Amino acid sequence: MGHITHALLNLHGPVIYGVVAALVFAEAALFFGFVFPGETAIVVAGVLASQHRVSLPVLMVVIVLSAVIGDSVGYEIGRRYGDRLLGMKVLHKHRPKVDKAHGLLRRRGAVAVFLGRFTALLRALMPALAGSAKMPYGRFLAFNALGGIAWGVGYTTGGFLAGAAFEQAAQWAGRVLAIAVAAIAVAAFIVWSVRRKRRENAVAAEENATADEPKPVPDLGP
């Protein structure tokens, strides 16, 4: 995950839209969410937007559309291949969470699609589970879109604000450091000046004391 995040931070220009859209789309459509949570990609994208590498409004539109379309593909996969999908080996170790997602879907219906958007594993599974349960697509799409908007806009804005705060903190840190260095330099100069003045006064006092001493009277003899 760290390598992917580092690679995202090094992106520039329109390629950022394409990479982030692919990661968000693949999270549910290709179950990539088991490997890389989509919110990580959009938070990093928000940070890049704060650095003016991409447009924040355009980025939000791209992320929301990718999320909605990716979940719609996941829904269709679940509708067609639900039983075989749930039998995948990759899901065996996540069986308790899959059962929990099933229970949430039974209790809340389409609302579970919205709620699942904010948990990494559920975000990858819920569209396919909704499709497998034969939830009407219109109902699924409505709650999927609401979740996609709230999730995409929220996390992207969070990344943008975090990036802007970091830049501001870095600027303030630079100013504080410059002030600190200047203060240290001034203090050092004052200490040096005081010590130099004291040395000069000590030398002058010594010279005055020597000058004030009575001069010995020469012995002229009887």
Side-chain angles (χ1 to χ4, degrees):
M1 185 183 298
H3 295 296
I4 299 177
T5 303
H6 181 72
L8 284 171
L9 288 171
N10 289 327
L11 295 177
H12 294 273
V15 69
I16 295 173
Y17 299 121
V19 172
V20 173
L23 290 173
V24 172
F25 172 86
E27 184 172 30
L30 305 177
F31 305 103
F32 195 61
F34 289 103
V35 180
F36 186 80
E39 69 262 17
T40 303
I42 63 177
V43 167
V44 173
V47 172
L48 297 178
S50 73
Q51 299 172 355
H52 307 292
R53 297 196 210 176
V54 289
S55 166
L56 181 62
V58 174
L59 181 64
M60 287 180 176
V61 171
V62 169
I63 288 172
V64 171
L65 288 178
S66 300
V68 173
I69 294 172
D71 280 19
S72 294
V73 172
Y75 170 91
E76 186 64 23
I77 292 173
R79 191 180 69 82
R80 294 190 179 187
Y81 310 105
D83 294 336
R84 280 182 285 177
L85 180 68
L86 296 177
M88 292 171 56
K89 291 183 179 180
V90 70
L91 294 181
H92 287 174
K93 63 180 180 179
H94 299 293
R95 183 56 55 186
K97 294 182 179 179
V98 173
D99 294 339
K100 183 178 179 180
H102 265 300
L104 180 64
L105 192 61
R106 285 194 298 268
R107 294 192 308 271
R108 299 295 184 88
V111 176
V113 175
F114 177 86
L115 298 176
R117 170 63 67 180
F118 300 93
T119 304
L121 184 62
L122 292 182
R123 192 164 51 249
L125 285 176
M126 192 59 74
L129 293 177
S132 177
K134 302 299 188 290
M135 179 185 293
Y137 179 70
R139 187 180 305 170
F140 168 83
L141 180 60
F143 284 88
N144 175 33
L146 289 174
I149 293 170
W151 177 74
V153 173
Y155 276 96
T156 307
T157 302
F160 180 87
L161 294 176
F166 176 80
E167 291 294 332
Q168 186 174 8
Q171 292 176 2
W172 276 106
R175 293 175 186 174
V176 171
L177 180 60
I179 293 172
V181 170
I184 291 172
V186 170
F189 176 76
I190 292 173
V191 170
W192 176 80
S193 298
V194 170
R195 289 182 177 178
R196 180 167 175 263
K197 188 65 176 177
R198 286 178 179 176
R199 285 196 301 269
E200 291 177 352
N201 291 339
V203 171
E206 186 178 348
E207 290 177 351
N208 292 334
T210 302
D212 293 339
E213 289 180 0
K215 296 181 180 180
V217 178
D219 187 6
L220 300 177

